[in-house]
């Protein structure tokens, strides 16, 4: 095999017989085992694993080989890539880029045209059965999938071809995980999420618009460290990041508990940083870690900037009846249950959220808005 | 500093979380003393208020050792007033706390030199030693001239 600047990392390693471990590769670049240990402590914390596991994780990471990742971009806006590449701290978090071999990525790779597609094929061959396919963007299937093509192939065909010999598939961002904006009504391209198409491989959903970069990095590191996928919730999301609602971890939660709400974006409540529930905050119905991990190196997240949560990591968030309408609950029997739960103000939001999630599909067409007062009166 | 920032009036409240935490530390310290098995508690995953944290810091006090580790950013290690209980904070380049851990151990993991690093250091030192005679011979040649 002739190796040149267009040869992907994985194929280059395979061709040159470079089977060094991550520990050896990084030691050659001056990265010490202490750095591994520190990174592992950080990962354990992010993944909600016992802190005492960090030394074993560090040892495992040091012995692992770089994970080949093939990144496919379909109907998307590149925000997910922006999130992953721009928000990590320049010291610790970016170690993930040393742990993976990003063998194909439209936006980031230097190669283009035939050379780019050849890179994908080489990586698939070199790491058959072991590579991870990361997908951002939904897949259009209407009219034979003609609405998005790359190198003359439909997204549908590329996905099928690339995932055939993959170890696992990671659907990054809400478009890949749940269809996102392209799937929003009237869904002109027949967009579908990855999970509807890939049924013979494990699929991990990391939704969000964009997703939290630490979630993406931690999932890849988890696979490298343990050789298995992290524990997932019923929507295929890693529980360590999507196990709690934004509302439950929100720093404005105490205002909700005290019944102190902003009524408009410029009233006294808004200025005092009160709860944004009445302004349409979807935090109670949204599972994500953005209230704690945040974006841009832990700088902030939408609620901290004074804007309600849009619920971007939940299925169908574009069609939930309006970003600025107070969280609604479905009519019917479930409303009675909500009323019971609402007896305790602290759990009202969580209860509404749980019900909202459980019945979102059926209820979408018959929403009615419920105010906090109405919830608490019932 | 906590990842769980809250309104200032909440930060002033005590959730009472310090007390059970101290109980957990006590149990881990008993285990360390009896069996030598180390333990760790991840504080960054707990919604401690500033007051909870202050209560914990007061209860644990300060010990004899403070250390700074520079590896992929800075880490700060402080021994508490209870031998074997260490407060470890990992920072990123911007000073944000990435992880905060109470280690119950004879020596915190991060402080000890790591086996593979020692192997690499030994190889490097041997290489340096192997080069030294050549340099000395060169200098002697210069002196002889």
């Amino acid at each position: 095999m002739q190796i040149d600047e267009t040869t992907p990392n994985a194929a280059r390693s395979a061709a040159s017989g470079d089977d060094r471990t991550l520990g050896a590769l990084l030691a050659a670049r001056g990265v010490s085992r202490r750095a591994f240990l520190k990174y592992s402590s950080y990962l354990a914390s992010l993944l909600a694993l016992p802190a005492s596991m960090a030394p074993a994780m560090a040892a495992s990471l040091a012995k692992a080989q770089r994970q080949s990742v093939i990144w496919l971009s379909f109907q998307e806006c590149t925000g997910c890539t922006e999130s992953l590449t721009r928000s990590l701290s320049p010291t610790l978090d970016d170690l993930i880029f040393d742990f993976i071999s990003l063998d194909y990525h439209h936006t980031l790779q230097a190669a283009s045209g035939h050379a780019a597609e050849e890179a994908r094929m080489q990586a698939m061959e070199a790491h058959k059965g072991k590579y991870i396919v990361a997908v951002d963007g939904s897949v259009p299937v209407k009219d034979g999938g003609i609405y998005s093509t790359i190198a003359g192939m439909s997204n549908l065909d590329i996905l099928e071809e690339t995932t055939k010999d993959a170890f696992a598939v990671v659907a990054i961002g809400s478009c890949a995980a749940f269809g996102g904006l392209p799937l929003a009504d009237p869904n002109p391209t027949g967009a579908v999420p990855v999970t509807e198409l890939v049924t013979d491989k494990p699929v991990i959903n990391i939704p969000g618009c964009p997703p939290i970069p630490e979630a993406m990095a931690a999932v890849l590191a988890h696979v490298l460290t343990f050789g298995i996928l992290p524990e997932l919730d019923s929507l295929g999301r890693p529980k360590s990041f999507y196990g709690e609602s934004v509302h439950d971890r929100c720093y404005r939660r105490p205002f909700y508990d005290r019944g102190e709400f902003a009524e408009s974006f410029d009233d006294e409540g808004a200025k005092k940083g009160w709860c944004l529930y009445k302004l349409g905050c979807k935090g109670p119905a949204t599972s994500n870690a953005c209230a704690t991990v945040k974006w841009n190196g832990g700088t902030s997240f939408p609620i901290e900037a004074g804007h309600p949560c849009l619920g971007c990591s939940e299925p169908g968030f574009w069609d939930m009846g309006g970003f600025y309408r107070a969280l609604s609950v479905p009519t019917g029997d479930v409303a009675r249950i909500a009323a019971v739960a609402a007896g305790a103000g602290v759990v009202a939001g969580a209860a509404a959220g749980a019900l909202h999630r459980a019945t979102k599909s059926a209820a979408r067409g018959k929403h009615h808005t419920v105010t906090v007062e109405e919830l608490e009166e019932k | 500093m906590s990842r769980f920032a809250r309104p200032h009036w909440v930060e002033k409240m005590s959730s009472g979380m310090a007390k059970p935490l101290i109980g957990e530390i006590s149990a881990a310290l008993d285990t360390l003393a009896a069996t030598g098995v180390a333990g760790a508690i991840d504080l960054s995953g707990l919604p401690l208020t500033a007051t909870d944290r202050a209560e914990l810091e007061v209860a644990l006090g300060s010990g004899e050792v403070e250390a700074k580790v520079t590896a992929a950013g800075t880490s700060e290690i402080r021994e508490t007033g209870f031998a074997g209980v260490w407060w470890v904070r990992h920072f990123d380049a911007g000073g944000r706390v990435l992880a905060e851990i109470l280690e119950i151990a004879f020596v915190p993991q991060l402080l000890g030199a790591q086996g593979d690093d020692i192997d690499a250091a030994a190889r490097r030192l041997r290489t340096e030693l192997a080069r030294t005679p050549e340099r000395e011979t060169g200098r002697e040649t210069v002196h002889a001239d």
Side-chain angles (χ1 to χ4, degrees), chain B residues 7 23 40 49 51 54 57 63 70 73 88 93 118 129 139 141:
Chain B
T49 65
T51 303
E57 288 191 9
T70 309
V88 182
I118 295 172
L129 279 171
R139 278 204 296 275
T141 306

Side-chain angles (χ1 to χ4, degrees), chain A residues 21-24 26-27 31-45 47 49-65 92 95 99 221-222 224-226, chain B residues 90 103 109-110 112-117:
Chain A
T21 61
L22 282 174
L26 294 186
V31 177
S32 71
R33 288 294 194 279
R34 272 205 185 90
F36 271 77
L37 189 58
K38 181 170 172 177
Y39 187 66
S40 298
S41 297
Y42 175 51
L43 279 179
S45 181
L47 289 163
L49 296 170
S52 54
M53 285 187 72
M57 287 176 70
S60 180
L61 268 179
K63 286 177 190 162
Q65 291 186 316
L92 197 58
L95 271 178
F99 293 166
H222 190 284
L224 267 177
T225 309
F226 300 105
Chain B
H90 300 307
E103 271 195 57
Q109 284 280 343
L110 201 64
Q114 308 296 304
D116 288 334
D117 286 342

Side-chain angles (χ1 to χ4, degrees), chain B residues 24-86:
Chain B
E24 195 176 338
I25 295 164
S26 172
L29 203 53
D30 285 342
T31 304
L32 180 69
T35 67
V37 175
I41 298 167
D42 179 11
L43 293 182
S44 29
L46 301 174
L48 294 169
T49 65
T51 303
D52 293 336
R53 191 169 298 273
E55 287 173 1
L56 193 59
E57 288 191 9
V58 167
L60 293 178
S62 294
E64 299 166 331
V65 182
E66 281 191 21
K68 179 181 164 187
V69 177
T70 309
T74 305
S75 297
E76 173 192 281
I77 299 170
R78 283 193 302 106
E79 188 186 34
T80 69
F82 296 90
V85 182
W86 307 82

Side-chain angles (χ1 to χ4, degrees), chain A residues 184-207:
Chain A
D185 190 44
N187 189 6
T189 64
V192 298
V194 170
T195 43
E196 282 194 22
L197 300 170
V198 180
T199 53
D200 59 343
K201 305 281 179 192
V203 179
I204 307 166
N205 284 332
I206 305 182

Side-chain angles (χ1 to χ4, degrees), chain A residues 134 308 319:
Chain A
D319 293 324

